[in-house]
Amino acid sequence: MRAKRYGRCGTWLVLGFLLLLTAPTPPPGPPFLTPTATDTSVPAIGRAWPVGARPTVLRGWEPPATAYGRGHRGVDLAAPPGSPVRAVAPGRVSFAGRVAGKGVVSVELTGTDLRTTYEPVTASVEKGAEVAAGEVVGTVEPTGSHCSTTCVHWGLRRGETYLDPLSLLPPWLLRRGPSRLLPVLDVPLP
């Protein structure tokens, strides 16, 4: 009797194992993105600073080690209350409203999978609006900033991955390094 029972159990185990081996595997899903993902390449498509001509960076970008780790997921730019906040590159407004009591404007950048965010900002645009680089999207709110002085927090994301927003700006806009004169060819001397 026992031998019969064990024989049936063994048969079911073998059949289950064969079924497991021959079952189709599901296609791989999208990779899990974290704030420290490896694709951090950002095209330098920015054509304007969000505030001012060359604002002071009060706090730079500090990528978190894990998805929920400590860090600073953007840069803080000094700006007086009421200052215009501009789109750094052309795009479409994906959000303009309040989040946790702060005014926020998000712009999905044209031709990329990137999104910039500005806060605390009183929006002057609506969701869905097309904006050009340098176009005003709002004004700096006098309160709601996490800085010791009034500032704009400027963020950049690709999906769920936070990136350094300063990487959107080309070197000539960042004023990195001195200007260099190149030789002029085929021009006669005076």
Side-chain angles (χ1 to χ4, degrees):
M1 183 79 151
R2 270 189 175 168
K4 231 181 197 183
R5 185 187 310 169
Y6 288 129
R8 272 190 260 150
C9 286
T11 303
W12 284 110
L13 283 173
V14 169
L15 286 175
F17 183 70
L18 288 174
L19 190 61
L20 180 68
L21 288 177
T22 59
T25 58
F32 178 71
L33 298 175
T34 65
T36 57
T38 56
D39 184 11
T40 58
S41 59
V42 174
I45 59 173
R47 295 294 171 252
W49 280 92
V51 290
R54 175 68 170 104
T56 301
V57 176
L58 299 174
R59 184 173 177 196
W61 182 65
E62 300 164 16
T66 64
Y68 302 104
R70 292 171 41 128
H72 192 237
R73 293 159 173 85
V75 295
D76 294 335
L77 305 173
S83 298
V85 178
R86 302 178 187 286
V88 296
R92 179 184 301 266
V93 176
S94 59
F95 181 82
R98 301 202 72 73
V99 175
K102 296 183 204 176
V104 177
V105 174
S106 294
V107 178
E108 293 176 357
L109 304 181
T110 304
T112 70
D113 57 351
L114 301 170
R115 180 175 68 241
T116 60
T117 317
Y118 314 96
E119 66 177 79
V121 174
T122 302
S124 61
V125 292
E126 293 182 2
K127 181 180 177 179
E130 293 285 336
V131 294
E135 185 175 336
V136 175
V137 295
T139 56
V140 179
E141 291 181 349
T143 59
S145 170
H146 59 263
C147 302
S148 59
T149 181
T150 311
C151 74
V152 169
H153 178 83
W154 174 31
L156 176 66
R157 286 174 63 168
R158 172 181 285 125
E160 298 299 314
T161 304
Y162 291 91
L163 303 168
D164 182 2
L166 292 176
S167 61
L168 280 174
L169 301 177
W172 60 267
L173 200 52
L174 288 169
R175 293 188 192 150
R176 289 187 180 161
S179 298
R180 290 186 225 159
L181 297 176
L182 298 176
V184 179
L185 304 175
D186 299 327
V187 175
L189 293 173

